[in-house]
Amino acid sequence: MGARLAWPAAVLVVAAVSLLSLAVGTRPVPPGTVLDALLHGGSTPDALVVRSLRVPRTEIGLTAGAALGLAGAALQAVTRNPLADPGILGLSQGAAAGVVFAIALGLANGFGGYVWYAFAGAVVAACLVYAIASRGRGGASPVKLALAGTALAAMTGGATTVVLTSSSATLDQFRFWQVGALSGRDADTVARMLPFLVAGALLVLACAPGLDALALGDDTARALGHRVHVVRGAAALGATLLTAAAVAAAGPIAFIGLAVPHLARRILPGSHRRILPLSALLGAALLLAADVAGRVVRAPAEVPAGVMTALVGVPVLVVLVRRKVAST
């Protein structure tokens, strides 16, 4: 698909899925009523459902999905690992640990209050991974970053489990967030996410030329005039900000950051100046589509979006691994 068709098609898909998200649910609302509620307000039951419940839910899906897609594309470029996602550097686990400790200590209550603690956990995890990977010869190479991230993720997961098994109150509050869902959030959650999303997106997009150079190897990137460690650090920091905001708002959503960049590269191969923004659009569409599907599969009950993305993502992961093995 050419660039002239890819961008309008991606925008149309996002718009269509957004309209579905506003219309589909336990109480179906006709598309015309949805548009009327958005444009003219009103106090009918349908209008109140759309504006007070589904608009914040749709906004969370769009922003969290875009953040995870963008973070995944950046991390795959930084680590030169096609199976990388925000969990490979321990970012998702660090953000989750920050939320768990905040709940256990009584510092946060509700999704809006999780953002700062998720951000702190993700930043601490990223700093530890980079510090560990930087030691020794060669500095923070892609392989060392992935190994350090995997080790830290395991350690963080163990610490989180200890806290959760020691406090039933913390576990009760955490388990509703842990499954990854878009319901129950409000407009305030979106407002808290935005500074992190904007800062992270600007950092990652500014690194696009450097990420293209990194794909050619560190030595080639240096020969082209790029400061490899600066590019890798800035892109990782941007991905950290994006992951922290998404995880805080929606919980640990699996496979968006893994699958979306591959789809973006298949549609528009080449420069990260195209891959990164397309990954953001596709990530928003995929997460919101998973949320809509979760409302339909077991209606009138709902399947959380995090569960739906995991069910879809497992086959994608198997295919990626098989292709990787076949190419070696």
Side-chain angles (χ1 to χ4, degrees):
M1 182 184 293
R4 291 183 179 179
L5 293 178
W7 295 112
V11 172
L12 285 175
V13 168
V14 172
V17 176
S18 299
L19 183 59
L20 282 175
S21 177
L22 295 172
V24 174
T26 306
R27 184 189 185 98
V29 180
T33 305
V34 169
L35 294 176
D36 185 65
L38 294 176
L39 297 175
H40 305 109
S43 57
T44 65
D46 285 344
L48 292 176
V49 166
V50 169
R51 293 203 316 274
S52 62
L53 297 178
R54 293 185 185 167
V55 166
R57 184 171 184 166
T58 302
E59 290 174 346
I60 291 290
L62 291 173
T63 51
L68 291 172
L70 196 53
L75 291 175
Q76 288 178 12
V78 165
T79 61
R80 294 204 293 272
N81 183 347
L83 299 180
D85 71 350
I88 195 171
L89 296 184
L91 302 183
S92 297
Q93 295 84 352
V99 172
V100 168
F101 284 106
I103 294 172
L105 297 174
L107 301 175
N109 184 26
F111 298 104
Y114 294 159
V115 175
W116 289 105
Y117 300 101
F119 169 65
V123 168
V124 170
C127 291
L128 287 174
V129 168
Y130 196 81
I132 295 169
S134 297
R135 298 182 65 85
R137 297 179 59 185
S141 66
V143 173
K144 290 168 69 178
L145 283 170
L147 290 174
T150 301
L152 185 68
M155 185 184 71
T156 304
T160 300
T161 302
V162 169
V163 175
L164 292 175
T165 54
S166 302
S167 171
S168 58
T170 302
L171 178 59
D172 287 340
Q173 188 172 346
F174 178 73
R175 64 189 176 92
F176 293 106
W177 175 84
Q178 187 183 25
V179 295
L182 306 183
S183 59
R185 281 63 167 171
D186 55 25
D188 184 58
T189 305
V190 181
R192 290 172 184 263
M193 288 175 64
L194 281 179
F196 300 99
L197 291 173
V198 172
L202 289 176
L203 267 175
V204 168
L205 293 172
C207 292
L211 295 177
D212 289 339
L214 286 182
L216 303 175
D218 289 2
D219 292 337
T220 303
R222 291 189 186 95
L224 292 173
H226 294 279
R227 299 173 66 183
V228 170
H229 294 302
V230 172
V231 172
R232 187 168 281 135
L237 176 59
T240 300
L241 293 169
L242 292 167
T243 302
V247 171
I253 301 288
F255 294 108
I256 297 290
L258 169 64
V260 163
H262 289 276
L263 180 58
R265 281 190 288 269
R266 288 181 67 86
I267 295 173
L268 282 181
S271 171
H272 281 86
R273 291 175 180 172
R274 299 189 297 179
I275 293 171
L276 290 171
L278 185 59
S279 294
L281 287 173
L282 295 177
L286 183 57
L287 180 54
L288 208 53
D291 184 53
V292 172
R295 303 180 210 174
V296 175
V297 170
R298 292 188 61 196
E302 292 188 8
V303 179
V307 176
M308 293 300 298
T309 58
L311 291 174
V312 173
V314 168
V316 172
L317 179 60
V318 171
V319 170
L320 291 175
V321 171
R322 288 176 64 87
R323 286 184 177 178
K324 182 67 175 177
V325 171
S327 64
T328 57

